[in-house]
Amino acid sequence: MRQEKNGKRRTKRYQRERDRKRKQIRLAVSAGIIVVSLFLLEKLLVPKYVDGVVEGAFVQEYYDQEKDFDVIFVGDCEVYENFSPITLWENYGINSYIRGSAEQYIWQSYYMLEDTLRYETPDVVIFNVQSMQFDTSQSEAYNRMTLEGMRWSPSKIKAIMASMKPEEKFLDYVFPILRYHTRWSQLTKEDVEYMFRKKQVSHNGYYMRVDVKPAENVPEGRVLKDYSFGENAWKYLDMMRRICEEKGIQLILIKAPSLYPYWYEEWEEQIVDYADQYDLDYINFLTLVDEIGIDYSRDTYDAGLHMNLSGAEKLSDYLGQYLIEQSGLSDRRKEKELCKIWEEKTASYEKEKQDQYQYYGMEEEN
């Protein structure tokens, strides 16, 4: 009798243990299904930036590169639309990359640089000063086009915290599906096609346009109440300068030759004074257009805002010569492995060039 009772107890314990394990398995499977479903939904709903507005894809493309760049650009559209790393390589053997993004604010440029230094230490960093005009973020959309492409790191976290507008939430960057869960009506076939693969949309960060729209009737700058750059902008320029000094990197400040947004003489004076104070090179390309040979009737695709391919190649040729002569960079075209990488990059560049000329019904310039 006692043995029978003990046997029943063991059987009940076994059943309870079996039921507990089954419940745990069911919960684990259910949780797994939810996680996988949310992962797939997020992959589907997050913008892919492969057609139309492609600028949101630029930042993440850097991480797929072989990291041994002589020159890193940081900044807004005045770098990624005005300079061609392919021209710098072909004409001078300079290995460069543009870590630019649409309306990249200076605090984002700083953390983009900080992020870059996790992987490599370039000889030269080039920063375009147009973004000094902003002391706070102006647009969540532009924030996301810069920040979402960064890999997670302390630099990305700090960049998000420095960039968020009051109505933004940090968790929306951690879990983008919280921000894009209503994007169903905007989905296209590209959202499905590029859920798990990427489409290269830039050439080492350069955005190519071959079409032409002359600069005509460019508006003068409106009168401002205060022409002083803000404390936040100066803070991050100081941080950029100091981190370059600590790493032994030459920081070069530039102003691209974009006619609009307007570049005020009062802004110019502040940058010149800062460069003089800290012995930095500063190049204002607006003052060099004749020397470079830029023709605003042929070398811009959007009426003077940005250079087209012709203008970008002229500008890059001038900059390349400057970097060789003034920064002491070496011509690396004798490095076989690096040449192989650039052969593929150049082939892609030339193919897109031909495709664009064909699309716009244009003849390639000699």
Side-chain angles (χ1 to χ4, degrees):
M1 180 71 73
R2 185 177 298 173
Q3 290 179 347
E4 183 178 346
K5 288 182 178 180
N6 289 338
K8 290 181 178 179
R9 290 194 188 100
R10 285 195 295 271
T11 300
K12 289 180 179 179
R13 283 198 300 270
Y14 171 77
Q15 290 175 339
R16 286 197 298 270
E17 182 65 21
R18 183 184 60 187
D19 292 343
R20 184 179 67 81
K21 289 182 178 179
R22 284 177 176 175
K23 185 177 181 180
Q24 289 177 338
I25 292 172
R26 286 196 296 269
L27 288 173
V29 170
S30 299
I33 291 173
I34 292 172
V35 169
V36 171
S37 298
L38 289 174
F39 171 78
L40 293 174
L41 282 173
E42 184 169 287
K43 283 287 186 181
L44 175 65
L45 292 171
V46 169
K48 309 304 184 296
Y49 302 112
V50 296
D51 193 18
V53 180
V54 299
E55 290 90 337
F58 293 168
V59 170
Q60 60 85 21
E61 290 186 343
Y62 168 77
Y63 300 104
D64 299 327
Q65 307 295 315
E66 293 290 334
K67 314 285 193 303
D68 184 25
F69 295 112
D70 309 311
V71 178
I72 292 289
F73 295 79
V74 289
D76 54 19
C77 54
E78 291 198 6
V79 290
Y80 71 73
E81 297 198 71
N82 289 340
F83 296 93
S84 167
I86 279 71
T87 300
L88 289 174
W89 171 259
E90 288 188 318
N91 294 1
Y92 299 99
I94 295 173
N95 191 26
S96 64
Y97 201 93
I98 300 172
R99 296 215 68 186
S101 55
E103 201 166 294
Q104 186 180 108
Y105 308 115
I106 186 171
W107 45 94
Q108 295 170 351
S109 296
Y110 170 77
Y111 289 117
M112 196 71 68
L113 172 59
E114 190 178 84
D115 177 66
T116 302
L117 296 179
R118 297 168 55 222
Y119 301 94
E120 60 180 329
T121 304
D123 297 306
V124 176
V125 165
I126 297 176
F127 170 65
N128 187 74
V129 296
Q130 182 71 48
S131 65
M132 287 289 292
Q133 67 181 297
F134 298 117
D135 212 43
T136 59
S137 295
Q138 305 297 299
S139 164
E140 179 191 358
Y142 284 126
N143 281 345
R144 289 189 169 275
M145 290 171 70
T146 296
L147 301 171
E148 287 182 342
M150 293 179 71
R151 285 184 177 172
W152 281 103
S153 70
S155 297
K156 176 168 179 170
I157 293 172
K158 288 183 285 187
I160 293 171
M161 298 304 293
S163 301
M164 285 192 304
K165 294 171 67 62
E167 64 271 20
E168 292 186 74
K169 299 176 182 178
F170 181 78
L171 277 181
D172 289 352
Y173 286 94
V174 179
F175 304 107
I177 192 172
L178 297 175
R179 181 64 180 82
Y180 297 116
H181 67 279
T182 60
R183 195 173 160 265
W184 293 99
S185 62
Q186 302 172 28
L187 293 179
T188 66
K189 63 178 182 180
E190 283 78 15
D191 285 296
V192 176
E193 183 178 355
Y194 294 101
M195 279 180 67
F196 298 106
R197 68 186 183 95
K198 301 172 184 176
K199 177 183 177 182
Q200 195 78 14
V201 297
S202 78
H203 301 277
N204 273 38
Y206 167 60
Y207 175 51
M208 182 190 295
R209 290 287 296 265
V210 306
D211 46 321
V212 178
K213 185 176 182 181
E216 299 173 344
N217 303 317
V218 178
E220 289 290 325
R222 59 186 177 85
V223 176
L224 305 182
K225 292 182 179 179
D226 186 0
Y227 293 89
S228 300
F229 293 134
E231 291 183 6
N232 200 40
W234 284 121
K235 180 183 81 170
Y236 280 97
L237 184 57
D238 276 337
M239 291 169 66
M240 189 180 297
R241 173 183 55 80
R242 286 197 296 268
I243 199 171
C244 285
E245 289 175 353
E246 291 168 5
K247 298 291 184 178
I249 300 168
Q250 180 186 8
L251 174 62
I252 298 178
L253 307 179
I254 65 168
K255 172 63 187 79
S258 300
L259 296 176
Y260 190 83
Y262 192 78
W263 183 248
Y264 296 91
E265 184 61 35
E266 293 84 354
W267 291 355
E268 175 73 3
E269 292 173 359
Q270 293 174 72
I271 296 298
V272 168
D273 289 344
Y274 187 87
D276 288 344
Q277 180 180 355
Y278 294 105
D279 195 26
L280 301 176
D281 285 9
Y282 170 54
I283 310 170
N284 184 346
F285 289 103
L286 284 167
T287 67
L288 298 169
V289 293
D290 292 335
E291 183 177 346
I292 297 170
I294 291 174
D295 181 350
Y296 286 106
S297 69
R298 301 174 58 190
D299 292 332
T300 174
Y301 78 88
D302 54 4
L305 275 73
H306 311 101
M307 298 291 101
N308 59 19
L309 179 66
S310 171
E313 290 185 340
K314 290 178 182 179
L315 198 58
S316 302
D317 184 70
Y318 182 94
L319 177 62
Q321 184 175 355
Y322 179 93
L323 291 171
I324 293 292
E325 294 177 355
Q326 303 297 324
S327 300
L329 296 184
S330 301
D331 185 338
R332 302 181 64 185
R333 285 173 290 184
K334 293 183 180 179
E335 299 180 25
K336 291 183 179 179
E337 292 303 315
L338 189 56
C339 283
K340 289 180 181 178
I341 293 172
W342 276 99
E343 283 176 6
E344 294 182 8
K345 292 176 182 291
T346 302
S348 174
Y349 182 83
E350 292 297 328
K351 182 180 184 304
E352 181 172 355
K353 184 192 297 187
Q354 295 303 320
D355 289 346
Q356 285 206 30
Y357 277 123
Q358 184 176 2
Y359 177 82
Y360 289 108
M362 301 169 59
E363 294 289 335
E364 181 176 356
E365 295 186 8
N366 295 322

